[in-house]
Amino acid sequence: MTRIDFRLGLGGAALLALTAALAQPAVAQDTSPEPADEALPGDDVQPAGGSEEIVVTGSRIARPNLENSTPTLVVDSALLNRQGFENVADIATSLPQFAPAFGGGRTTSSFSGATASGLNTTNLRNLAPIRSVVLINGRRVPGGTPLSTAVDFNTLPTANIDRIEIITGGASAVYGADAVAGVVNIITKRDFRGFQAGASYGIAERGNNENPNGYVMFGTGLGEDGHALFTLQYTYEGLVSCADSYICNTDIRYNDPAEGPVRAPDGGLTGVPPYSGVVPGGRFFIGSGSLTRNLSTGQLQTFNLARDGFNRNPERTLAIPTRRIMFAAEADYRVSDSITAFAEFNYGRSSTDGPIEAAPFQGTTNVFGGQPGVPGRPVTIPVDNPFFLAATTPAQRAALTPAQIANGIDWSQRFSEFGKRGATNERNTIRAAAGLRGDFSLGTSEWRWEMSYVYGRTELNSSTDGLVGTDRLYYGLRVEADPANPGRYRCSDAGARASGCVPVNPFAPYTQDQIDYLVVKAGQSGISTLHDFNAFVSGSPFSLPAGPVSVALGVEYRTFSGFQDTDESIQRGLTTGNQIGDNEFVEIRTKEAFGELIVPLLRDKSFTKNLEFEGGYRISDPNRGDSYQTWKVGGTWEPVEGVRFRGVRARAVRAPTPGELTGLGQTFGSVDDPCRAVNRNANPTRAANCTADGVPADYAPPLSVQQNVAGTIGGNPDLRPERADTWTYGVVFAPRFLPGFTLTVDRFDVKIDGFINTVGRQAKVNLCYDTADRQFCDDITRGPRSEIPGNYALTAIDDQLLNVSEFRVKGIDIEARYSFDPGLALFDGSNRLTLQLLSTIYDQAEQTQPDGSITKLDGYAGGDTSNQGFLRWQATGNVMYNSGPFDFTYSIRYIPKTEASPFLTGFPKIPAADYHNIRMNFAVAKQMQFYVGVNNLFDRKPPIVPDNSSGSQAQNTISGFYDVFGRSYFAGARLTF
């Protein structure tokens, strides 16, 4: 454990850092050189004697007068309320050590797959949520989905949080071999006694993104020897429709640097607006052209995108409405002088509903049946269909080609008459922990021990409304005269008739019978389960002249299992949604033994006030593959008081999760074809390869082709565990001549071998055309599309998970803070002004592909859905003033000018952005507090970024970095007895 000095900061910094708006500052690094009391991991040790220090537990060793060799960021409960945050993931994303969890938040997951819709996860070091371990009081939290260990923070309350400890490296030997990026350890208010109720309400200035929140918390003693705490919390985050937001209130095209962003109905340089060619009136491909139904007259006319195109964005969702109910209970009771029993229980339910525009259908893409690798049956319209014959003229039918006469005509339609589609998810997570802890004497030394068991279970029930049955559509289009009802029609297939088939007429408004027959609902469900037994003992077996040697020894047995079942209609390709297979049940069992060692080498010597060595080792024996070892070696050196150097070298190993080992599915999404005319001359190799594949030099496919590239993605049972080597070292400067000032600078270097990821669909198609040996071209498919002539459209890119060689991230964390009495008192009582700066700088982020090529990711804000960029640097800052019962906080988050995506060239940089927030808090009495605040004070709009660069499908901004809500207000009250 480590004691943290809250009096950190940097006066007069260029930016002001992130702190709390209530009585204590919220963020601190493990920097204090002062002694610490002993504590077990998860013990809620309070500051003593009015000190502004707290104890941080980054180790299983209870150790006085020692400092952690790994930087540990501490966030207290005040920070969760400072800007109206009611979710741990939201506050994490505002810190520079974290990146947005692309595809795993309210504003990024509408198009990330139905089961991911509405997740809220953390992304430490931008290494993905699955590479961090999340704990409550030092013990594990179950994953938030049936297939992943990544925790969904929507199911965890915030009202009962005392602080959050973020260990940014070297944690694998302590908390589990899979802690590659680090550990997020939530410490609860274990000493709270009394009753507290709180309520808040937030809303964007434009009247959306409503956020009511309320909670009650009750803590009481259990006789003289125990304590219990109960928390119930409700939170709602409201719908934000694209129709109400500048960033997506109309369709946008931004795929040509010379043209810039084009917002419908504008046509840009091409004169063609960025509408979808899949329209409510249908599009029927006859000969080399296409017809559509005029919705006013009902007659077929030649399709014209500017006139007939569909504007999708206004019907889409920018922020998914999320409703959360959370309950937490914990208790501890001293059963004897040396033994304490404890238990914890958490239940969280998160309900989300992500509506988007009506289902699009394309006859040659949304095929009937088939499976990955086996083509399905195109849902064409036979040319003898009586509805087709009635709707078309002889002159129009004369243009039919022999292939169309033989196979039927291709067609597409936006089924707007059927209503919107969207994913509705309900996630229920249970976590129960119980155990014993105690202490004993062995000779002259004191020892501590703990045994615990954690059970966790997450259930997902996901359904998608507004789908259309492709099998029903196929048979409904095959129509013949009904002999029993002259002048009427029936389905031609007798088996389909027996199943209730209804003739379908796409050339007229759909009847209610047709809608009821065609519309289907399908979904997925699954369960993941965690069992974790942990036992350890820590103490000091002997002492050296510099102090006691401390050790910890322990064992852990952990299982994580999961599966996800998909409705048969989805598996068989019988709906307009993506075809997705089951994720079969997988159980991962791991037996581990671990140890830690702290050795004080020198103390109070010349140029060595304190020198300590730290080591850790863990051996893991999984049920899949060979055993592996993780370790750490490090230490601290304080040459003089106020200057401390620290460093740790560590090894981490992460085994693949059930979702990475199983399941294949279909995907459709935006890919920028490198052979488009505007792209093909980026280099001579690309131009030559495009020519070799028969792509014309003037190739300019419409958006409907670019945004609908199919492919197969999914798990790989042959994946190996990742192995990460991390190196963290830095300096802490806390001079005695400037009390309250602290500066910490830490260098980090993470190298992951066997990194589990996809190569990336955009990266694959670029490498196929930018390399002489045509890398990954076997995964690329070109073929015909009805919207354009020829046989060279980019139709599919397959991208299965692999151990893609190596991933390397290097950078620097900086924190500076200065806290002092400004001599300005507005009210009676203490006065304090705190200035703080937090910044993270990335100077290298690279993924080495299996063929040895390197994808450079540093210096970018976005990427594709597989590989996200790393901002070169970003910073958060704060000025906080406290005077008696009054607190005022002014904060700023700064994102510098940056490139959009490593996979696009020639586009201008995204402009720098700064977001300003204020909050005021006033305590009417000890029992009551009121607070108000404004986020995005100057109402900065999000930037429009190029197509295929946001890291999420169908967005033209990077909403994890750039605020999409605009100026927002919040107010709240807290009552304590």
Side-chain angles (χ1 to χ4, degrees):
M1 99 212 111
T2 305
R3 187 178 295 276
I4 300 304
D5 190 340
F6 264 116
R7 297 166 294 181
L8 309 179
L10 178 60
L15 286 174
L16 311 167
L18 197 57
T19 61
L22 300 179
Q24 288 184 334
V27 182
Q29 293 274 6
D30 56 330
T31 55
S32 170
E34 301 179 19
D37 297 326
E38 293 189 351
L40 283 172
D43 281 359
D44 189 8
V45 182
Q46 301 297 325
S51 168
E52 289 187 325
E53 297 168 350
I54 63 173
V55 172
V56 169
T57 57
S59 168
R60 296 192 186 276
I61 295 178
R63 45 187 174 132
N65 200 33
L66 289 176
E67 297 295 332
N68 224 348
S69 59
T70 300
T72 303
L73 189 70
V74 180
V75 181
D76 75 5
S77 58
L79 184 55
L80 296 171
N81 299 318
R82 182 181 60 84
Q83 292 179 352
F85 288 125
E86 305 296 347
N87 194 298
V88 174
D90 294 337
I91 186 61
T93 302
S94 72
L95 301 174
Q97 289 87 348
F98 289 84
F102 292 88
R106 288 181 63 222
T107 59
T108 62
S109 59
S110 291
F111 288 87
S112 298
T115 58
S117 179
L119 284 172
N120 212 357
T121 55
T122 59
N123 188 6
L124 183 58
R125 292 272 184 256
N126 202 13
L127 292 175
I130 55 175
R131 293 183 179 88
S132 300
V133 171
V134 178
L135 313 170
I136 295 178
N137 297 322
R139 292 171 281 273
R140 291 213 175 211
V141 179
T145 74
L147 303 173
S148 172
T149 57
V151 172
D152 180 14
F153 286 91
N154 279 338
T155 60
L156 298 180
T158 56
N160 66 335
I161 294 178
D162 180 69
R163 67 183 186 273
I164 302 169
E165 302 169 0
I166 302 163
I167 305 169
T168 55
S172 56
V174 179
Y175 290 117
D178 50 343
V180 176
V183 168
V184 177
N185 189 13
I186 299 171
I187 308 299
T188 58
K189 298 176 179 178
R190 299 177 60 184
D191 286 341
F192 177 82
R193 283 174 169 78
F195 174 83
Q196 186 176 95
S200 64
Y201 181 80
I203 191 170
E205 188 173 84
R206 292 164 180 81
N208 51 32
N209 198 36
E210 293 182 276
N211 183 203
N213 172 71
Y215 74 90
V216 292
M217 183 168 62
F218 176 68
T220 183
L222 299 177
E224 297 293 327
D225 299 311
H227 174 261
L229 178 67
F230 304 91
T231 305
L232 178 64
Q233 185 170 351
Y234 169 85
T235 297
Y236 177 74
E237 295 166 293
L239 170 73
V240 180
S241 170
C242 272
D244 300 324
S245 176
Y246 148 85
I247 197 62
C248 58
N249 59 4
T250 190
D251 278 359
I252 298 172
R253 179 180 69 238
Y254 189 12
N255 59 15
D256 184 347
E259 184 181 51
V262 178
R263 300 172 62 89
D266 291 341
L269 296 178
T270 65
V272 180
Y275 291 136
S276 169
V278 183
V279 299
R283 190 174 177 187
F284 309 97
F285 297 92
I286 299 177
S288 59
S290 60
L291 304 174
T292 187
R293 179 169 59 89
N294 185 306
L295 297 180
S296 299
T297 66
Q299 301 300 309
L300 291 182
Q301 61 189 22
T302 300
F303 178 80
N304 179 283
L305 184 64
R307 180 193 62 209
D308 304 315
F310 180 73
N311 196 359
R312 295 159 297 178
N313 267 353
E315 299 192 18
R316 288 179 170 172
T317 297
L318 178 60
I320 296 171
T322 304
R323 193 179 307 274
R324 304 161 54 211
I325 298 175
M326 298 146 287
F327 174 75
E330 58 184 281
D332 58 75
Y333 191 82
R334 185 179 293 274
V335 296
S336 72
D337 290 342
S338 59
I339 299 176
T340 297
F342 62 87
E344 300 169 349
F345 179 80
N346 290 81
Y347 169 75
R349 185 177 72 193
S350 171
S351 302
T352 64
D353 183 9
I356 56 175
E357 79 276 9
F361 166 79
Q362 294 179 280
T364 55
T365 301
N366 297 119
V367 296
F368 162 34
Q371 56 185 331
V374 179
R377 187 180 302 175
V379 184
T380 57
I381 301 175
V383 296
D384 61 355
N385 180 295
F387 302 125
F388 170 73
L389 296 174
T392 55
T393 66
Q396 290 169 337
R397 294 194 295 273
L400 289 167
T401 67
Q404 291 171 341
I405 294 173
N407 302 317
I409 66 165
D410 188 20
W411 68 295
S412 66
Q413 189 168 31
R414 179 84 51 181
F415 292 117
S416 297
E417 295 177 55
F418 300 175
K420 288 189 175 183
R421 61 193 158 121
T424 300
N425 287 336
E426 181 174 293
R427 299 180 181 90
N428 290 275
T429 298
I430 292 174
R431 175 185 179 271
L436 299 171
R437 62 173 177 257
D439 54 70
F440 62 93
S441 298
L442 188 62
T444 59
S445 62
E446 296 296 322
W447 292 73
R448 292 192 171 195
W449 58 273
E450 178 177 302
M451 294 189 303
S452 65
Y453 167 73
V454 175
Y455 169 78
R457 177 185 172 97
T458 294
E459 296 184 7
L460 167 71
N461 287 290
S462 174
S463 64
T464 302
D465 300 311
L467 299 175
V468 172
T470 53
D471 57 335
R472 301 182 182 193
L473 193 57
Y474 177 88
Y475 289 115
L477 290 170
R478 274 120 188 97
V479 177
E480 64 185 13
D482 186 353
N485 296 284
R488 302 186 65 180
Y489 301 97
R490 68 179 187 181
C491 299
S492 302
D493 188 275
R497 290 199 303 272
S499 299
C501 181
V502 175
V504 173
N505 182 4
F507 302 97
Y510 288 97
T511 66
Q512 191 59 51
D513 286 344
Q514 292 171 351
I515 294 174
D516 292 342
Y517 168 65
L518 291 174
V519 175
V520 297
K521 182 177 181 179
Q524 298 164 278
S525 62
I527 296 173
S528 64
T529 305
L530 170 72
H531 299 275
D532 188 24
F533 172 78
N534 199 305
F536 67 91
V537 61
S538 66
S540 175
F542 60 90
S543 294
L544 297 176
V549 173
S550 299
V551 299
L553 299 171
V555 294
E556 183 172 3
Y557 178 72
R558 182 175 64 254
T559 70
F560 179 78
S561 60
F563 69 91
Q564 187 164 285
D565 288 338
T566 302
D567 286 353
E568 184 180 6
S569 60
I570 296 177
Q571 290 188 54
R572 294 176 56 197
L574 304 183
T575 73
T576 48
N578 293 352
Q579 187 175 4
I580 302 170
D582 281 344
N583 291 89
E584 302 296 335
F585 177 84
V586 173
E587 184 178 61
I588 301 169
R589 300 187 301 273
T590 308
K591 295 180 286 185
E592 297 180 319
F594 59 87
E596 287 186 79
L597 175 69
I598 305 292
V599 180
L601 302 176
L602 295 173
R603 191 180 300 276
D604 296 325
K605 302 294 183 182
S606 227
F607 296 106
T608 304
K609 180 175 177 60
N610 191 29
L611 178 64
E612 297 159 347
F613 168 82
E614 177 179 343
Y617 177 79
R618 179 180 291 252
I619 184 168
S620 303
D621 182 17
N623 65 321
R624 298 173 58 92
D626 299 329
S627 63
Y628 48 84
Q629 296 82 40
T630 54
W631 46 263
K632 67 172 181 176
V633 177
T636 60
W637 174 44
E638 189 176 3
V640 295
E641 189 171 2
V643 178
R644 181 162 58 90
F645 297 92
R646 60 189 177 189
V648 62
R649 179 78 168 165
R651 164 73 55 83
V653 176
R654 187 187 74 86
T657 62
E660 293 170 316
L661 293 167
T662 66
L664 286 176
Q666 193 179 37
T667 186
F668 292 92
S670 296
V671 177
D672 190 21
D673 191 337
C675 291
R676 287 196 307 128
V678 72
N679 296 330
R680 67 183 294 139
N681 293 317
N683 58 72
T685 302
R686 175 181 292 189
N689 287 334
C690 291
T691 300
D693 283 359
V695 183
D698 61 350
Y699 179 54
L703 281 179
S704 59
V705 173
Q706 298 178 58
Q707 295 176 347
N708 199 32
V709 180
T712 299
I713 59 174
N716 182 350
D718 298 324
L719 290 175
R720 306 183 311 275
E722 299 174 338
R723 187 185 71 183
D725 291 318
T726 65
W727 176 224
T728 305
Y729 55 93
V731 61
V732 180
F733 181 53
R736 294 187 64 86
F737 63 81
L738 188 60
F741 171 76
T742 300
L743 170 68
T744 69
V745 180
D746 289 289
R747 173 72 166 169
F748 59 87
D749 183 349
V750 181
K751 177 184 175 184
I752 306 176
D753 289 321
F755 187 72
I756 297 173
N757 197 6
T758 61
V759 174
R761 301 204 315 150
Q762 187 69 62
K764 275 190 172 182
V765 72
N766 286 356
L767 288 167
C768 172
Y769 288 95
D770 290 344
T771 55
D773 56 349
R774 308 302 304 273
Q775 297 166 16
F776 301 112
C777 283
D778 288 344
D779 294 326
I780 313 299
T781 302
R782 290 189 178 273
R785 285 291 297 265
S786 299
E787 299 95 321
I788 55 177
N791 198 40
Y792 41 75
L794 182 62
T795 58
I797 304 173
D798 296 334
D799 198 22
Q800 194 173 12
L801 286 169
L802 302 170
N803 290 101
V804 290
S805 193
E806 180 183 298
F807 199 95
R808 188 77 176 266
V809 176
K810 293 182 180 179
I812 298 172
D813 288 328
I814 299 172
E815 180 182 2
R817 177 168 174 161
Y818 188 31
S819 185
F820 60 96
D821 186 342
L824 175 65
L826 298 180
F827 299 91
D828 293 336
S830 62
N831 296 277
R832 204 75 179 167
L833 180 64
T834 300
L835 311 175
Q836 189 182 24
L837 170 71
L838 285 168
S839 182
T840 294
I841 302 167
Y842 288 101
D843 53 49
Q844 183 178 349
E846 296 177 347
Q847 177 169 304
T848 303
Q849 308 291 11
D851 64 329
S853 62
I854 293 176
T855 300
K856 177 180 168 62
L857 298 171
D858 54 296
Y860 302 93
D864 63 16
T865 54
S866 298
N867 301 284
Q868 282 78 48
F870 289 68
L871 289 174
R872 184 76 66 187
W873 69 279
Q874 62 172 316
T876 59
N878 185 85
V879 173
M880 190 195 79
Y881 173 69
N882 165 249
S883 179
F886 175 73
D887 287 309
F888 175 80
T889 299
Y890 173 77
S891 67
I892 180 173
R893 181 167 62 93
Y894 180 75
I895 302 171
K897 189 175 183 179
T898 185
E899 300 280 358
S901 169
F903 308 109
L904 302 176
T905 58
F907 289 87
K909 289 186 175 181
I910 302 172
D914 50 275
Y915 296 96
H916 303 256
N917 311 301
I918 59 172
R919 182 186 192 276
M920 291 181 288
N921 178 84
F922 195 85
V924 178
K926 288 185 177 180
Q927 292 81 18
M928 183 171 291
Q929 292 182 338
F930 296 94
Y931 57 89
V932 295
V934 182
N935 291 333
N936 196 353
L937 181 64
F938 299 113
D939 199 25
R940 174 177 284 276
K941 292 181 178 180
I944 296 177
V945 301
D947 297 349
N948 314 312
S949 67
S950 69
S952 298
Q953 295 283 12
Q955 284 193 338
N956 275 95
T957 196
I958 304 170
S959 56
F961 283 127
Y962 303 100
D963 178 70
V964 296
F965 301 122
R967 186 184 294 117
S968 302
Y969 308 94
F970 64 91
R974 185 177 299 109
L975 185 65
T976 306
F977 297 101

